[in-house]
């Protein structure tokens, strides 16, 4: 298993713990604190999947998804949401899916395997 | 390093690390490999994992205090009986409960546990914890009370 996952979240605990869990599962992982950092990392890291928080400072998830869509429309992006956004809204923004918070470890690994295994 | 020194390490774990949030102490207290978790498997990058564990609890409970109820020393181990208190004002992603992003509730919580520590070359090499995770999550409102508790209320 060698999929590459970019984890984007301004919450340090979530960002770093998700990264650790995915590394333990065999994925190559990069992290970013906001959309701007994420956009800077994508060209060099070449992720197979982006896990993207919606509510972030500097550049939020919606704007980040839009900009990724311009350059890399085929790159799967999964929104990590606070649970207020229905799946249809993720689809409307061309996200590959959504992962409402709180989520558990099995939900995370199942979803990542779908796109980055 | 003798039993008294090991007890001091554990006291520092409770007071300076868990209660004081001094994450820079982790490299001093914990070996590079740590046996931990329910399966008691060896984990590499142990200081990084321990820092994440402590940071996750302290982010959720910025006023977290781990009180030392009992400290029992034997030749090879130190057993810490502890009680934690804190106010849940931050997002909670407890690695031991395998859940990410529990929203803050503002509730005060008090939960207890027991951790046994083993040592190698002056640092913690293994730990085994049993804690009242159900009681903690129930106080925060994430799991329901048992029917008998609801009737009593």
């Amino acid at each position: 298993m060698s999929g590459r996952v970019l984890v984007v979240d301004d919450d340090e605990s979530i960002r770093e713990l998700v990264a650790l869990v995915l590394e333990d599962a065999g994925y190559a992982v990069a992290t970013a604190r906001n959309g701007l950092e994420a956009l800077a990392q994508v060209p060099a890291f070449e992720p197979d999947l982006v896990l993207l928080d919606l509510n972030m400072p500097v550049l939020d998830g919606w704007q980040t998804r839009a900009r990724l869509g311009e350059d890399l429309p085929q790159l799967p992006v999964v929104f990590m949401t606070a649970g207020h956004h229905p799946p249809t809204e993720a689809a409307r923004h061309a996200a590959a899916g959504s992962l409402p918070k709180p989520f558990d470890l099995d939900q995370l690994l199942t979803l990542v395997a779908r796109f980055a295994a | 390093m003798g039993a008294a020194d090991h007890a001091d390490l554990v006291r520092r774990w409770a007071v300076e690390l868990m209660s004081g949030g001094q994450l820079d102490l982790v490299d001093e207290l914990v070996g590079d490999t740590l046996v931990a978790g329910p399966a008691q498997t060896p984990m590499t990058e142990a200081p990084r994992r321990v820092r994440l564990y402590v940071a996750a609890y302290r982010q959720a409970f910025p006023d977290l205090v781990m009180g030392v109820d009992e400290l029992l020393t034997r030749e090879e181990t130190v057993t810490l009986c502890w009680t934690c208190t804190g106010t849940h004002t931050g997002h909670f992603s407890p690695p031991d409960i395998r859940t990410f992003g529990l929203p803050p509730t503002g509730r005060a919580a008090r939960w207890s546990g027991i951790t046994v520590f083993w040592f190698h070359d002056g640092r913690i090499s293994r730990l085994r914890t049993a804690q009242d995770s159900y009681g903690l999550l129930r106080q925060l409102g994430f799991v329901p009370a048992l029917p008998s508790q609801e009737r009593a209320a």
Side-chain angles (χ1 to χ4, degrees):
Chain A
M1 203 180 308
S2 58
R4 306 170 71 77
V5 183
L6 176 60
V7 181
V8 189
D9 201 313
D10 62 321
D11 183 308
E12 183 177 5
S13 273
I14 290 179
R15 184 178 70 241
E16 297 301 326
L17 286 167
V18 168
L20 180 62
V21 161
L22 293 178
E23 286 174 11
D24 284 347
Y27 296 99
V29 182
T31 62
R33 295 175 297 180
N34 55 61
L36 208 59
E37 287 188 8
L39 292 173
Q41 293 210 43
V42 165
F45 183 64
E46 297 183 315
D48 299 302
L49 170 69
V50 179
L51 295 177
L52 184 60
D53 184 30
L54 285 177
N55 298 312
M56 296 182 292
V58 184
L59 193 71
D60 66 22
W62 307 117
Q63 296 171 309
T64 305
R65 175 66 192 102
R67 288 178 50 177
L68 283 172
E70 293 169 4
D71 298 326
L72 296 166
Q74 301 306 314
L75 174 60
V77 173
V78 170
F79 290 147
M80 294 190 292
T81 77
H84 305 308
H85 305 280
T88 50
E89 195 165 3
R92 194 160 57 82
H93 286 82
S98 63
L99 191 61
K101 297 174 185 175
F103 53 85
D104 66 31
L105 180 60
D106 292 332
Q107 288 174 295
L108 170 69
L109 293 177
T110 299
L111 185 137
V112 171
R114 200 186 311 162
F115 298 105
Chain B
M1 191 176 261
D5 297 309
H6 292 160
D8 186 57
L9 277 184
V10 172
R11 226 182 296 270
R12 296 186 71 194
W13 170 282
V15 175
E16 296 176 41
L17 178 60
M18 293 299 294
S19 303
Q22 296 181 35
L23 298 180
D24 54 337
L25 277 182
V26 172
D27 290 303
E28 189 179 335
L29 298 178
V30 177
D32 295 328
T33 301
L34 181 70
V35 175
Q40 290 287 284
T41 51
M43 300 184 295
T44 56
E45 295 188 278
R48 174 189 176 200
R49 295 172 189 275
V50 171
R51 269 192 290 271
L52 286 176
Y53 173 88
V54 176
Y57 271 87
R58 290 202 56 83
Q59 174 172 299
F61 302 93
D63 59 348
L64 178 71
V65 173
M66 175 178 272
V68 176
D69 300 331
E70 302 271 2
L71 200 62
L72 310 169
T73 57
R74 300 184 68 169
E75 187 174 340
E76 293 181 359
T77 63
V78 173
T79 299
L80 171 66
C81 303
W82 51 263
T83 297
C84 277
T85 58
T87 312
H88 182 215
T89 57
H91 281 90
F92 191 23
S93 299
D96 46 332
I97 302 176
R98 297 159 61 94
T99 300
F100 304 87
L102 291 168
T105 64
R107 297 187 181 193
R110 180 185 182 91
W111 68 103
S112 296
I114 299 176
T115 303
V116 183
F117 296 84
W118 287 258
F119 308 88
H120 179 70
D121 280 349
R123 290 191 293 177
I124 297 166
S125 62
R126 178 183 170 194
L127 59 85
R128 191 176 194 116
T129 293
Q131 69 171 20
D132 183 16
S133 297
Y134 166 75
L136 170 59
L137 294 175
R138 188 172 62 78
Q139 290 174 70
L140 300 182
F142 292 123
V143 298
L146 297 174
S148 60
Q149 292 168 331
E150 288 176 336
R151 280 199 298 273

